[in-house]
Amino acid sequence: MLIDLRSDTLTLPTPGMKEAMFAAPIGDDVFGEDPTVNALEEKIAKLFGMEAAIFCPSGTMTNQIAIRLHTRIQTEVICHKYSHIYLYEGGGIMANSLASVKLLDGNLGKITAAQIDESINPDDVHAPETTLVSLENTMNKGGGSIYTLDEIKPIHSLCQQKGIKLHLDGARFFNALVETGESPADWGAHFDTISICLSKGLGCPIGSVLLGSKADIKQARKVRKVFGGGMRQAGFLAAAGIYALDHHIARLKEDHARARMLGEMLSKSPFVSEILPVATNIVIARLENTSPEEFMKKLADQNIKSVKFGKDLVRFVTHLDFGDDHLEEFGKRIQNI
Ligand SMILES: *Cc1c(COP(=O)(O)O)cnc(C)c1O
């Protein structure tokens, strides 16, 4: 049995999800005529108490559209130095929006209002104008760490006071919400735009959604078109999204419980010096007396897949297709290493 913990993007649609996909009424979404895409966009916007939403092929696209909306040439984005928008989107801040970026450091990938306040550029001819702050929740490189709404409120007030937009990269946002018990609508009230991935823990094959005001989402449709993300009968994919919102949110807690147990199992390995705090479905192990390459080879010999996540780090992500039987098997195989 293969145990694939490289990412929560590897999941395959469940039978129920497939059924929903094939049963979906469809139309041409570039004409705004796909009833299932429209239903998904309305459903998720309502859930977050936001005016509108747009369905896109990827989370990179929803983030990059948001950055385009909230910046201009010669302006600047503030984010953590380990942000997905900076590290893993191919330099898109520059390539798509001709904007600059200010990278902040912070514990487990999180930044504070005080740090942001110090990093907003003065109104000065030498400096790019700060127009956007982007946060990530959960924070991938922070080991799936969580921002609580109490940490967001002062950041939101600061941005409002300074006239700066606030974006949330919520690729794994529901993983945070099932832990904190906070409501999506409370979060919706604190951000200009929110990006949600349907293709991660929620288990869809493809798709992300960008939420925002009517005006921003109208503009987002133009940006999506020029990015090549206008899809036609996309209702098949949107149906998977609707199904996931109805059936795959509460179960994320199971992924988190398995991640905590996986972390405990890994911590007993003689090659693991530390497990970063396991807040959600991501487990990051710090290695000793071996390299990520060597350790991953030993795991691969046991038919376990993982990814390198830094010079002495390896990442494991639990997901819909990793059940109790896989966890038990993992526990046995890790003892052979
Ligand atoms: C996966 C991910 C995205 C989007 O990735 P796509 O593969 O483009 O859908 C954005 N932000 C974070 C934190 C992610 O983990």
Side-chain angles (χ1 to χ4, degrees):
M1 168 166 77
L2 169 67
I3 299 180
D4 200 340
L5 293 161
R6 286 173 299 168
S7 175
D8 46 7
T9 56
L10 291 155
T11 56
L12 300 176
T14 60
M17 181 178 278
K18 272 192 202 161
E19 241 174 72
M21 292 172 74
F22 283 112
I26 51 170
D28 189 328
D29 181 50
V30 176
F31 284 82
E33 291 175 9
D34 188 303
T36 310
V37 172
N38 293 341
L40 170 67
E41 291 174 348
E42 276 164 35
K43 183 181 174 77
I44 196 158
K46 197 167 162 218
L47 185 63
F48 280 81
M50 294 176 88
E51 285 177 4
I54 180 171
F55 183 56
C56 291
S58 72
T60 299
M61 189 178 285
T62 44
N63 280 334
Q64 291 298 320
I65 290 173
I67 292 165
R68 172 68 76 81
L69 294 178
H70 303 315
T71 59
R72 300 182 309 281
I73 185 169
Q74 286 186 283
T75 64
E76 188 161 88
V77 181
I78 293 177
C79 63
H80 191 279
K81 67 178 184 179
Y82 292 154
S83 297
H84 194 280
I85 59 162
Y86 173 69
L87 280 187
Y88 298 126
E89 298 185 9
I93 299 172
M94 172 278 295
N96 295 319
S97 297
L98 297 173
S100 170
V101 60
K102 186 167 286 172
L103 300 174
L104 307 187
D105 208 348
N107 193 29
L108 295 174
K110 301 200 299 179
I111 55 178
T112 64
Q115 279 179 293
I116 295 167
D117 200 8
E118 279 176 10
S119 312
I120 295 169
N121 286 332
D123 183 8
D124 180 296
V125 70
H126 298 88
E129 182 190 344
T130 307
T131 60
L132 174 62
V133 172
S134 181
L135 306 176
E136 193 176 308
N137 193 19
T138 66
M139 187 19 159
N140 179 25
K141 272 276 195 181
S145 55
I146 295 174
Y147 276 104
T148 63
L149 203 49
D150 284 341
E151 294 169 301
I152 298 302
K153 284 175 182 165
I155 298 177
H156 176 227
S157 311
L158 174 69
C159 288
Q160 290 237 298
Q161 187 195 323
K162 304 277 183 181
I164 294 171
K165 302 290 182 177
L166 185 58
H167 172 68
L168 179 67
D169 176 356
R172 297 189 177 85
F173 183 56
F174 285 106
N175 292 87
L177 284 191
V178 298
E179 287 301 318
T180 62
E182 292 163 350
S183 87
D186 285 343
W187 278 74
H190 289 87
F191 286 86
D192 293 286
T193 45
I194 297 180
S195 161
I196 300 288
C197 284
L198 301 166
S199 56
K200 298 263 165 88
L202 294 180
C204 295
I206 299 175
S208 288
V209 179
L210 183 68
L211 298 135
S213 67
K214 267 195 187 130
D216 274 347
I217 298 305
K218 183 174 178 211
Q219 186 60 22
R221 290 190 191 281
K222 298 186 184 180
V223 180
R224 183 183 68 175
K225 195 77 187 80
V226 81
F227 283 178
M231 298 186 287
R232 301 298 179 173
Q233 286 73 28
F236 289 127
L237 302 171
I242 293 171
Y243 183 89
L245 292 175
D246 288 338
H247 298 97
H248 289 174
I249 293 178
R251 64 153 305 286
L252 291 170
K253 276 213 155 231
E254 293 175 29
D255 294 344
H256 302 172
R258 289 189 191 104
R260 282 192 295 272
M261 289 171 72
L262 192 94
E264 278 170 32
M265 291 169 176
L266 273 166
S267 70
K268 298 196 180 101
S269 161
F271 298 109
V272 172
S273 65
E274 179 196 9
I275 300 288
L276 265 62
V278 181
T280 51
N281 68 330
I282 297 178
V283 182
I284 299 180
R286 192 179 301 283
L287 305 175
E288 59 185 358
N289 309 319
T290 188
S291 65
E293 287 79 7
E294 263 180 19
F295 189 63
M296 286 165 57
K297 172 76 175 61
K298 290 186 214 298
L299 289 167
D301 289 343
Q302 299 287 327
N303 214 7
I304 297 170
K305 290 190 180 183
S306 54
V307 293
K308 180 175 173 176
F309 222 48
K311 73 176 187 339
D312 58 353
L313 302 176
V314 176
R315 186 188 78 167
F316 303 81
V317 187
T318 60
H319 50 71
L320 189 58
D321 291 346
F322 178 80
D324 285 333
D325 46 341
H326 297 90
L327 181 69
E328 196 182 316
E329 247 325 284
F330 182 91
K332 285 184 199 154
R333 292 183 198 176
I334 192 77
Q335 286 173 24
N336 300 332
I337 291 173

